[in-house]
Amino acid sequence: CSHENYYDKIENKMLPAFYTVTFIIGLLGNARGMKVLQQKWKRQENINIFVLSLGLANVLYLLTLPFLVVYYFNGRNWIFGDVFCKMTRFCFNVNLYCSIGFLTCISVYRYLAIVHPLRMMGRLTVTRSVLISVLVWLMVSVQSMPDIFFPKRFKDKAQCFHSTSLEKTEDYLTYSLVWTTTGFCIPLLITLSCYGHVTFVLCRRKTIEMTIRQRCFRLMFISSFLFSICYIPYHVFRNLSLFSRIQSKQNICVWWDKHVFTGHQISRGLVCLNSALNPLVYLQMSEHILSYIRQCTSQVSQRFQDLFVYNRHTTAVTQTNVEQLYT
């Protein structure tokens, strides 16, 4: 059940290619995103707090990619020390789950803007957005902290494990399952619920402009594509790969071991692409939210004006009837 040469070939060639492409596209995309964000900061500060946090999480991870490229090009020979190995893996985890967390926050915000536009006005303030962002950072850091205490290197080999050593695989699988549930499954259910309700409202509410409706559907498709391609395969194959390692440790050779390893390496490459694809989501989302809020504000103002005119007309008619009654 040993495929050592096959594993090395995939890991040492495929991952550096993914990381190099992600680093180049991600830096350019996030730099462009930050520039646009700065130009539009005053127009929608509360949602931009989430966008800024998402961008910072992306940049935090992108800066570690050159070290991983060197590591895999050298045949998994880590030359940067044990502490920096754990810091690199920690940055990956923080980026991954902060991205999921902030995309979930943005989906909730989009849900409130479309389904409850009047209730949302004045409630999602900058202060609350900052507090929510800080809470996401803290929760993700707490979730990712136990990973630091798992061994990442062999004493006699200069490696930097993505998960942990073979001796701790059982404990790491348990931690990974809990991590997957709290860091991915729950946010995914919240995001799907928000998008499902938004789709229902967009199909029923005919007052929403067609361009805004089309843009919203496009953004929901992009977000769903991001979750489907980057996040779901990674979590599925990570846990299957850990289970396969436990089987191999017990001298049980499973026929799907080779396929799971291949899928896990591909999913590791795909999940790092979220740092390059996230700017496409939040830049377009900002324009959509602004357009929709402007439309809602215009409709509400028009309704208040119509109500004010109607009340004035009703009062004038009533006063005329009273005068006619007493004359």
Side-chain angles (χ1 to χ4, degrees), residues 94-108:
V94 169
N95 162 257
L96 172 61
Y97 292 102
C98 275
S99 296
I100 294 174
F102 290 122
L103 287 175
T104 304
C105 291
I106 291 173
S107 69
V108 172

Side-chain angles (χ1 to χ4, degrees), residues 29-91:
N30 282 278
R32 174 62 179 171
M34 291 298 176
K35 183 178 179 180
V36 175
L37 179 65
Q38 183 182 8
Q39 296 172 352
K40 300 179 180 180
W41 184 264
K42 292 297 182 182
R43 297 170 61 186
Q44 194 67 21
E45 289 180 303
N46 44 14
I47 189 64
N48 285 340
I49 297 296
F50 299 136
V51 175
L52 176 62
S53 298
L54 182 60
L56 291 177
N58 292 335
V59 173
L60 177 67
Y61 174 60
L62 288 172
L63 295 178
T64 66
L65 287 182
F67 302 97
L68 292 175
V69 171
V70 173
Y71 169 61
Y72 287 110
F73 269 139
N74 286 337
R76 291 185 298 174
N77 181 31
W78 185 260
I79 60 176
F80 305 106
D82 185 66
V83 175
F84 194 71
C85 168
K86 293 188 175 183
M87 287 179 58
T88 302
R89 300 306 186 185
F90 180 76
C91 288

